[in-house]
Amino acid sequence: MNIHKIVLPTPYPIGDVNAFLVKGDTLTLFDAGPKTQEAYEALKWGINEAGYNMKDIEQVVLTHHHPDHAGWVDAFPNADILGHEYVDHWMRKTEEFITYRNNFYRKQLKLQAVPEKYIEKIVQVRGEMELFGTTPLTAFINDGDEVPGHPGLKAVYTPGHAQSHLIFLDQSTNEAIGGDLLLENVASNPLVEPPVDLSETRPKSLIQYQDSLKILHDLHVSKIYTGHGNEIEDIDRLITIRLEKDRLRALQVLEILNKPKSVLEVTMELYASVYQKQLGLTLSKTLGQLDCLERDGFVTHEIVDGINIYSRI
């Protein structure tokens, strides 16, 4: 791939985010940073450094809908905007979708035993809507589709970190633009999100994420251009490390379940030092481990007085 990396600042603990300018039959920007002035200036500078200006960008392709990747689609009014169909909901932000999203999270947080007084704060913090772009998608990209203007650059659906997550595999070089599927220094969080079909069924994000890592393994990618940090070439080794870390964390959760407990109770023990500051995130991670333990036949759950209670089998 003829690829130019652009590093953009973010207001998030993860730090900088990467965008990639790829020259093919079409000049394409993959990901666009958060919608902050600092990110805009860095994006403009990076495109200029590559020998182009903002109006030269013909299309923007998004790996997923999170605001640190999908903010400055609005900076390219003449470009086509492409991504998974789910991304379009976050760009349009219709009243119907926002209401659905908020009600989905309220229901899930109640099931996890979060007290009512904390639920609204978590629901609103999850939004960060001001850092999202507002330009609707021009076209959707599905699993297996070729990116327009880039023969042999194929989309692969890899949900888990985000329900909209795609990576893009160059079949001639076996390199991939990987979004947040696999990062060099940190594990990608399996975030609880509404499902792509906008139903009430909660996706099991960590199970999805582990399955997506196995897809990446089977693709035998030679190099992955990541959403944060450096490119990765020793991909299989890092996948093994990530999956083993999940296994060990699941064993911690199983040990905590010395009696039936809610997701919140498990979270308070598993992430005792940070759960109060990062309740939404730590609940997502705990729930993911419980999903995996249930998948593997170690735990079960039942609803008691409107709350999911997990027990060892």
Side-chain angles (χ1 to χ4, degrees):
M1 279 186 290
N2 182 354
I3 189 166
H4 177 75
K5 180 178 178 178
I6 303 172
V7 181
L8 309 173
T10 80
Y12 302 108
I14 187 68
D16 295 339
V17 66
N18 300 324
F20 298 98
L21 191 61
V22 181
K23 177 61 177 173
D25 297 337
T26 300
L27 184 62
T28 302
L29 181 71
F30 286 82
D31 287 344
K35 199 173 182 182
T36 66
Q37 189 60 36
E38 294 81 5
Y40 177 84
E41 295 299 333
L43 184 57
K44 182 178 178 180
W45 186 89
I47 290 171
N48 291 342
E49 183 188 37
Y52 302 98
N53 58 52
M54 304 288 269
K55 68 180 182 181
D56 293 327
I57 304 302
E58 296 175 281
Q59 67 183 4
V60 178
V61 175
L62 301 174
T63 59
H64 60 297
H65 70 275
H66 292 166
D68 53 335
H69 295 259
W72 276 118
V73 293
D74 298 344
F76 308 99
N78 298 321
D80 290 331
I81 312 297
L82 285 71
H84 190 281
E85 181 177 1
Y86 188 78
V87 177
D88 200 49
H89 296 298
W90 298 90
M91 297 295 102
R92 294 181 185 274
K93 304 177 194 67
T94 64
E95 184 177 344
E96 180 183 16
F97 175 71
I98 298 302
T99 298
Y100 158 77
R101 166 201 172 276
N102 292 347
N103 287 339
F104 174 87
Y105 281 127
R106 290 184 186 108
K107 177 182 177 181
Q108 293 303 319
L109 291 166
K110 287 177 182 177
L111 285 170
Q112 294 165 29
V114 176
E116 198 76 38
K117 62 182 179 179
Y118 298 119
I119 287 179
E120 285 308 310
K121 182 178 179 181
I122 297 173
V123 167
Q124 297 310 317
V125 166
R126 283 182 181 276
E128 298 171 317
M129 291 297 179
E130 70 279 2
L131 299 184
F132 280 96
T134 60
T135 304
L137 297 189
T138 308
F140 302 149
I141 300 179
N142 299 309
D143 184 50
D145 286 352
E146 189 173 80
V147 177
H150 297 272
L153 187 59
K154 175 185 171 184
V156 182
Y157 183 48
T158 50
H161 172 66
Q163 293 304 304
S164 59
H165 203 284
L166 297 166
I167 65 171
F168 299 93
L169 177 66
D170 186 333
Q171 295 176 302
S172 63
T173 65
N174 233 38
E175 297 177 344
I177 295 172
D180 287 355
L181 176 58
L182 186 67
L183 303 178
E184 180 186 32
N185 295 320
V186 295
S188 301
N189 293 315
L191 301 174
V192 172
E193 293 181 337
V196 294
D197 64 1
L198 305 188
S199 69
E200 297 301 315
T201 303
R202 175 182 63 84
K204 296 182 178 180
S205 300
L206 183 55
I207 292 176
Q208 288 180 320
Y209 180 69
Q210 292 177 351
D211 289 343
S212 291
L213 286 181
K214 292 168 186 174
I215 289 171
L216 178 61
H217 171 271
D218 292 344
L219 289 172
H220 304 294
V221 172
S222 60
K223 179 190 287 188
I224 189 164
Y225 293 88
T226 64
H228 304 272
N230 296 320
E231 294 75 49
I232 301 169
E233 295 185 359
D234 195 2
I235 294 167
D236 289 351
R237 182 188 68 84
L238 192 53
I239 290 173
T240 299
I241 289 171
R242 295 286 184 263
L243 293 175
E244 176 63 10
K245 184 178 179 181
D246 282 346
R247 187 186 72 83
L248 294 174
R249 184 52 61 91
L251 291 177
Q252 282 185 272
V253 172
L254 191 60
E255 186 174 344
I256 288 170
L257 281 177
N258 52 8
K259 63 179 182 180
K261 293 177 181 177
S262 68
V263 179
L264 179 61
E265 288 173 317
V266 177
T267 300
M268 291 169 68
E269 293 186 52
L270 188 63
Y271 297 103
S273 63
V274 297
Y275 80 90
Q276 289 179 310
K277 293 182 179 179
Q278 297 180 304
L279 185 55
L281 174 59
T282 52
L283 285 166
S284 283
K285 294 169 78 170
T286 300
L287 191 54
Q289 297 298 340
L290 289 166
D291 285 339
C292 289
L293 287 168
E294 191 164 31
R295 172 198 63 192
D296 296 337
F298 291 106
V299 307
T300 187
H301 79 276
E302 60 178 339
I303 297 178
V304 179
D305 296 329
I307 293 171
N308 275 334
I309 301 297
Y310 288 80
S311 309
R312 292 179 189 171
I313 293 178

